[in-house]
Each structure stands twice: as C-alpha cells, then as structure tokens.
Amino acid sequence: SQRRVHGGMVLTATATKSAMPGYQIYLAAVTEVELDILTGDSQILRSDILYDGGYSLNPAIDIGQAEGGFVMGLGYFMSEEHIYNSRGALLNNGTWEYKPPSSHDIPLQFNLTLLKNSPNPSGIMSSKAFGEPPLLASCSVLFAFQDALRHSLVERGLQGEVVLNAPATVEKLQRAAQVADNHLVLE
C-alpha cells in the first residue's frame, strides 16, 4: 500500500492478515413469549440457548458474557429505536425516549448451556468468542412475537402475513396485532 505523509506524519494505516485461522461459532435459541394484543405489552417467559464456545476457560464468566450479549440483542430487536428529524438530528437521545433493555425485559426463565466436548483447535486454549455472538440469538425473541401475532390473527379469523421489523417496540407490536373496535365487543 502507498503511504501518505503530511508534515512528517503518516496518514495511512496498514494491516497484516492474522496467521490465526478463523472458526465458526454455533448456537441455537428457543424463546417463549406472552403478548397483550390490546396494549402491545409483552413478557419474555423463557429463553433456552445452547452455545458452542469451544473449551470455556471460565464457564461462569463466559456464561455471563453470553447472557449479556443476548440482553444487548434484546435492545436491538425489541426496544432501541432511533428516531431522527428531517435534518438528521437524533430526537431520542436520552433514556426518557430511548429504551435500552432493563431488568424487566430479561426472560423470566433464562437458560444458557455451553455445548460440551467442542474444542476449538485454532483458538487460544481451545476457546471461542463469547461476548457478541449471542447477540444474534435474541432474534428468537422477535420471531417468537411474530409467531404469537400470527396465531392471534388466525384465532380471530384474520388473514395476512405478519411483518414485524426490528425493533419491535410496544407500539409496533400493538399495531401488528390489527385489533379493531369490533374485536373489543363481548358477545
């Protein structure tokens, strides 16, 4: 690569390819949710995750990191909506309007199991990464709500595909439920 020098300072960055080979990380997640279709209020009842972290150097720390990644993903998939005005300025730049996950958003039953006998021959002491990859397991929450909404529509005799884009905020969940005034009448 070419180096650019300005006033004796190097203005370009260079990098070398790591000699360490890459590896795959696998995980599976199943989530059970409850949704109030009238209000959009929701609860994550249970999440079960099986995580392939290679050989864990410290299971307590690694499980905590993986759980933290999952909760970080909850924000991404469920609540952290960025709202901008027409000039591109961020309108919800505080926790009054911007909603990161709280203790009430964590699954009531949260099970994370490390896959056994899965060493990583190219990792440090046969380990794999633990922090960010479990973030992707949080999409199971979004899909569980989408499935709950689909079942709700079928139960009420409504047709149509449920489109639920992330973040699935309370407002988006309630709108996707397609509750009309005539659904609120007891017979």
Side-chain angles (χ1 to χ4, degrees), residues 70-183:
F70 183 86
V71 172
M72 189 168 84
L74 287 180
Y76 177 78
F77 287 110
M78 297 305 298
S79 63
E80 295 179 18
E81 184 169 35
H82 298 97
I83 301 171
Y84 299 91
N85 68 14
S86 60
R87 295 189 329 257
L90 183 62
L91 296 177
N92 58 339
N93 59 355
T95 55
W96 190 254
E97 303 91 9
Y98 176 78
K99 302 297 178 203
S102 73
S103 60
H104 299 287
D105 300 312
I106 296 170
L108 295 177
Q109 186 175 351
F110 196 179
N111 303 310
L112 193 140
T113 305
L114 301 179
L115 184 64
K116 303 236 183 288
N117 300 319
S118 178
N120 176 16
S122 61
I124 297 170
M125 297 181 70
S126 298
S127 68
K128 291 185 178 181
F130 271 91
E132 290 79 12
L135 180 146
L136 299 176
S138 309
C139 70
S140 67
V141 175
L142 179 70
F143 298 147
F145 280 115
Q146 189 171 11
D147 193 50
L149 286 162
R150 186 180 57 77
H151 278 87
S152 169
L153 293 176
V154 169
E155 243 179 49
R156 293 179 282 136
L158 300 174
Q159 300 296 324
E161 184 180 338
V162 175
V163 176
L164 187 61
N165 296 318
T169 60
V170 170
E171 295 83 7
K172 288 180 184 177
L173 286 168
Q174 195 279 327
R175 256 193 321 265
Q178 301 176 30
V179 175
D181 289 345
N182 63 335
H183 297 141

Side-chain angles (χ1 to χ4, degrees), residues 23-26 51-55 118-120 126-130:
Y23 56 86
Q24 303 298 316
I25 296 174
Y26 301 98
Y51 187 75
D52 169 21
Y55 175 76
S118 178
N120 176 16
S126 298
S127 68
K128 291 185 178 181
F130 271 91

